[in-house]
Amino acid sequence: MNGPPVGGGPPADITRGVNGPPAPAGPPVTTGLPATAGPPDVDGAPDVDGARAVSDRERLARAALTRVFEPGDERGGGWLREIGAVELIRRLNCVDGSAQTLRGMTAARLGGYRLRAATADPGRDLADMAAVGGRFLCPGDREWPTQLNDLGDARPIGLWVRGRPDLRLWALRSVAVVGARACTPYGAHMAATLGAGLAERGWVVVSGAAFGVDGAAHRGALAAGGATLAVLACGVDVCYPRGHTELIGRMVEQGLVIGELPPSEHPTRSRFILRNRVIAALTRGTVVVEAEYRSGSLVTARNAQRLGRFTMGVPGPATSGLSAGVHELLRGEGVLVTGAAEISELVGEMGDLAPEGRGPVLPRDLLDDVSARVLDALPRKDTMGGRDVARAAGTSTDEALGRLYELHSLGFVEREGDGWRLTPGPTRNGDARRGGT
């Protein structure tokens, strides 16, 4: 998995900008796709994943658009789907009136978009990202995770990535572990345990690198020598929160750090919420560990449900407000999980089953039904004759005596005069009478 970055480095001529000299005319491109494949995305190439290589012009245009549109802007995503990235950035930068023809465009919106488009310098952004060992991925790149396309027009324009592994391959077997920032020690323990357990089972642990549950899940995966991926609500060259600078640095070295925002961009409240849809779409399922009723983690879970992904929750005390949101999730479509094996069973392949949960096997559990009834017939402290034991156990005297001698050889009972009694001594779980004392 750890190979050199692919498909996302700066184009050969990044100083020309998006709207450079037009490409020389040539014969029309024949794709072999049906006419219903959809409108062209860029340079006449249909927007079908894997059907084409991403051109330098498109990469520049999409990089520029990450500075123009906020993550999850469905209106902008619709324009991008209809006319392509190169044409869209051209219309936003020119004053020929073509931008006003876009469906839903208003003068106020266009003014805001143009303010951002005027300052976008995609060549510099791509160079800055390459300088820190990062890359910019677009739909159509081999490394693009195609499950993000389930977001429709809210799909990321592109992804800025730091880290060596292949994002598409890592996303194929990934689980999100999210939860409260101000989590309890129980929540931090469960998140770290789940992160380590999932990593040991070959799953990539995905979270948002925030304080609390997110950070604990990342650390758990790293401590187990596993794979972990962070989706940031800021530029991937920005360490936020600052208290996680070391953690994010470790993930850049050992895992992946991705985001929709270009270099140096700062996080905002809305960007945190919008980031959660990427976490939900990227992974096979989402596990929530501690969340209040109003929690961004529940936004991730609801996004996962809408996308047809698995949603899971770790229960907590009924009296804890930090578990109230999780319990509400579990009352709906969420699945209760308590360990990595249960998560893997739900989101993994057929046959990836969690071990059956049961208590320890006690010596008493190995007795047959008649012997167990005979043992139950004996009082806790007094002795009892064989006939009385038989009557209480509902069996014959001869059979009761035979079972009593078997129980004596096993150490459960002993003979006292003409009667029988339970073996004295400290009560052990294996010897405790059924039904309690």
Side-chain angles (χ1 to χ4, degrees):
M1 262 183 222
N2 294 342
V6 295
D13 189 9
I14 61 175
T15 61
R16 295 172 60 186
V18 175
N19 298 317
V29 177
T30 302
T31 63
L33 295 170
T36 57
D41 189 349
V42 171
D43 298 338
D47 184 12
V48 178
D49 292 293
R52 58 170 171 77
V54 178
S55 68
D56 288 354
R57 292 180 66 206
E58 180 182 356
R59 196 176 305 281
L60 281 164
R62 284 183 174 268
L65 289 172
T66 62
R67 286 206 177 271
V68 176
F69 296 113
E70 282 294 302
D73 188 327
E74 294 190 57
R75 185 180 293 107
W79 297 334
L80 185 61
R81 170 176 48 81
E82 291 170 0
I83 64 175
V86 173
E87 174 62 15
L88 180 55
I89 195 67
R90 185 198 70 79
R91 293 191 188 188
L92 294 178
N93 277 318
C94 71
V95 291
D96 60 359
S98 58
Q100 286 84 342
T101 64
L102 295 170
R103 184 171 56 250
M105 181 65 81
T106 65
R109 288 193 186 109
L110 181 57
Y113 290 144
R114 280 182 170 165
L115 281 176
R116 289 186 168 191
T119 59
D121 187 348
R124 183 184 61 191
D125 286 339
L126 290 170
D128 289 346
M129 186 53 47
V132 295
R135 56 198 182 277
F136 180 65
L137 300 179
C138 302
D141 280 330
R142 184 191 60 78
E143 198 183 347
W144 181 262
T146 55
Q147 58 266 46
L148 292 180
N149 301 340
D150 293 347
L151 293 169
D153 288 342
R155 177 182 71 173
I157 296 169
L159 288 173
W160 301 88
V161 180
R162 294 183 68 190
R164 290 172 293 177
D166 187 298
L167 175 59
R168 183 181 67 85
L169 295 180
W170 270 34
L172 289 175
R173 189 175 168 85
S174 62
V175 176
V177 179
V178 297
R181 286 178 172 83
C183 67
T184 65
Y186 163 77
H189 169 77
M190 288 303 303
T193 301
L194 292 178
L198 288 167
E200 289 170 352
R201 286 167 172 79
W203 291 92
V204 177
V205 177
V206 178
S207 199
F211 287 131
V213 167
D214 289 17
H218 289 308
R219 290 189 180 95
L222 290 170
T228 187
L229 182 156
V231 183
L232 302 186
C234 54
V236 294
D237 60 337
V238 178
C239 289
Y240 186 90
R242 292 189 180 276
H244 277 176
T245 298
E246 181 181 355
L247 175 62
I248 294 173
R250 287 184 63 195
M251 284 190 280
V252 169
E253 292 297 321
Q254 301 179 38
L256 285 169
V257 174
I258 71 172
E260 299 177 76
L261 293 159
S264 76
E265 279 294 297
H266 63 279
T268 63
R269 182 181 296 273
S270 63
R271 288 173 174 178
F272 281 117
I273 298 298
L274 291 166
R275 174 269 308 273
N276 293 338
R277 83 192 195 288
V278 176
I279 294 177
L282 193 67
T283 54
R284 298 279 291 273
T286 295
V287 185
V288 183
V289 183
E290 289 196 328
E292 297 179 300
Y293 284 122
R294 289 175 54 85
S295 169
S297 303
L298 295 183
V299 174
T300 308
R302 286 192 288 269
N303 279 323
Q305 288 175 340
R306 282 195 293 268
L307 293 167
R309 310 296 197 262
F310 295 101
T311 54
M312 296 152 279
V314 177
T319 54
S320 172
L322 279 171
S323 292
V326 179
H327 295 161
E328 189 67 20
L329 176 68
L330 295 176
R331 292 183 67 232
E333 299 180 7
V335 178
L336 187 151
V337 294
T338 59
E342 295 170 1
I343 298 170
S344 185
E345 178 182 73
L346 185 64
V347 303
E349 304 298 332
M350 184 178 297
D352 192 2
L353 301 177
E356 181 181 355
R358 58 173 298 172
V361 177
L362 304 176
R364 185 187 188 97
D365 298 331
L366 303 177
L367 298 178
D368 61 79
D369 291 340
V370 177
S371 297
R373 292 205 311 271
V374 169
L375 185 61
D376 284 340
L378 290 170
R380 172 62 58 187
K381 296 181 180 179
D382 297 331
T383 62
M384 181 181 284
R387 290 174 60 86
D388 294 331
V389 172
R391 184 170 55 252
T395 185
S396 67
T397 302
D398 290 340
E399 185 170 29
L401 288 172
R403 301 294 176 152
L404 285 168
Y405 277 103
E406 290 179 2
L407 292 170
H408 182 269
S409 66
L410 294 172
F412 285 98
V413 300
E414 61 184 31
R415 183 76 180 267
E416 185 174 293
D418 294 333
W420 296 86
R421 60 176 294 170
L422 295 173
T423 301
T427 300
R428 300 190 300 269
N429 288 337
D431 300 334
R433 301 185 69 214
R434 299 182 183 184
T437 53

